[in-house]
Amino acid sequence: MLITFEGIDGAGKSTQIAKLVNFLTNEGVDVLSLREPGGTPAAEKIRTILLDNAHKVTPVGELLLFSASRAELVQDVIKPALQEGRTVILDRFFDSTTAYQGYGRGIDLALLQSIISLSTCGLTPDITIYLALEPEEALKRKFAKSSILLEFEGGELDRMERSGIEFYRNVQKGYQEIMRLHPERFVCINALESITVIHHHITKILKERFPR
Ligand code: ADP
Ligand code: TYD
């Protein structure tokens, strides 16, 4: 089974994934947790290029690099794990590309779709958990200082996070549109709830959808 988590930076994905991995492992489920971009030696190197402020990357270059990282991960790690019957949990997958490079950077969605199909070999999640949070709130959480959020001059922001608040609003709109088009696999959770409440929502939904 393939479970993916989506949402803008700071929505709480890694926090919830850590809790879910713990929960599923205690239930005896064989879980593999991965994040994108990254997950193989080559993909981790691509991650460095993508997030490093020292590099300038064009929108098309960005799309191809995220896709290259994904192709490595799908081929070398995700597919073999799924074939072994493991449950794979992914912190971001191709919906991030549609939201960030498509709706955020403005790359043509049809072109983008064919690159996604190529890099994933058509692999689709069984369920995608979207943590919904306003960009202002998400970035405030991540950097704890609201002044940084408007200026985007904080030294701790990576290359993607320096894209500006307007970019994040477009990414959020993108996610809303993707969810509207794929209600069969998306679950939208209000990420303003507490960490514990969100975790309980997630485990309840998984039990309902995938009873053993
Ligand atoms: P993401 O992986 O989506 O970027 P994180 O899980 O790293 O987000 O969370 C970003 C920050 O927000 C962390 O400091 C985390 O402790 C905090 N956080 C996560 N979930 C919540 C929540 N439900 N309420 C308040 N703060 C949260
Ligand atoms: P990361 O620190 O892993 O994410 P988060 O801040 O949510 O914990 O950084 C990954 C960044 O790359 C994040 O800004 C989202 C972006 N991204 C894309 O733009 N396109 C993609 O296809 C993927 C997978 C990520």
Side-chain angles (χ1 to χ4, degrees):
M1 176 156 79
L2 178 59
I3 304 170
T4 60
F5 278 74
E6 293 286 350
I8 55 176
D9 309 55
K13 298 178 298 299
S14 350
T15 305
Q16 290 303 325
I17 288 172
K19 288 183 82 69
L20 182 60
V21 168
N22 205 16
F23 171 84
L24 290 174
T25 305
N26 285 338
E27 295 272 302
V29 179
D30 184 6
V31 186
L32 177 64
S33 165
L34 302 160
R35 69 162 183 197
E36 275 212 2
T40 72
E44 287 295 331
K45 287 203 166 165
I46 298 172
R47 179 184 176 90
T48 309
I49 300 172
L50 277 164
L51 300 184
D52 192 341
N53 284 312
H55 305 295
K56 237 179 118 235
V57 185
T58 60
V60 172
E62 194 177 280
L63 165 67
L64 296 174
L65 285 167
F66 277 117
S67 303
S69 164
R70 178 166 306 132
E72 298 300 310
L73 190 67
V74 167
Q75 205 56 44
D76 285 3
V77 186
I78 301 177
K79 278 201 162 176
L82 291 173
Q83 269 157 14
E84 285 170 17
R86 305 185 74 186
T87 293
V88 178
I89 302 181
L90 269 181
D91 191 339
R92 301 191 178 281
F93 198 32
F94 59 77
D95 295 311
S96 286
T97 305
T98 311
Y100 282 74
Q101 280 65 55
Y103 289 88
R105 301 281 191 231
I107 292 181
D108 179 83
L109 292 176
L111 277 174
L112 190 137
Q113 192 48 55
S114 52
I115 291 170
I116 286 176
S117 304
L118 197 66
S119 63
T120 58
C121 304
L123 183 66
T124 309
D126 295 289
I127 185 165
T128 300
I129 293 160
Y130 176 68
L131 297 178
L133 199 61
E134 291 301 315
E136 288 85 351
E137 184 58 34
L139 292 168
K140 226 188 272 180
R141 260 188 203 175
K142 195 144 191 171
F143 310 111
K145 262 197 267 158
S146 56
S147 57
I148 292 175
L149 137 79
L150 294 173
E151 292 168 17
F152 280 86
E153 285 171 354
E156 291 179 29
L157 301 177
D158 67 38
R159 196 188 59 80
M160 289 305 295
E161 290 158 351
R162 288 176 178 233
S163 302
I165 197 77
E166 207 46 54
F167 171 77
Y168 278 98
R169 290 210 184 93
N170 289 331
V171 170
Q172 182 192 32
K173 278 185 216 141
Y175 273 125
Q176 284 161 353
E177 184 60 14
I178 301 166
M179 276 193 286
R180 197 182 62 75
L181 294 172
H182 300 283
E184 73 293 347
R185 73 176 163 89
F186 263 94
V187 173
C188 180
I189 294 181
N190 177 4
L192 271 179
E193 304 263 28
S194 75
I195 291 174
T196 310
V197 167
I198 296 172
H199 174 64
H200 286 139
H201 278 317
I202 293 172
T203 52
K204 185 166 173 279
I205 289 159
L206 290 176
K207 278 180 188 160
E208 280 167 9
R209 292 227 183 162
F210 308 102
R212 280 199 271 154

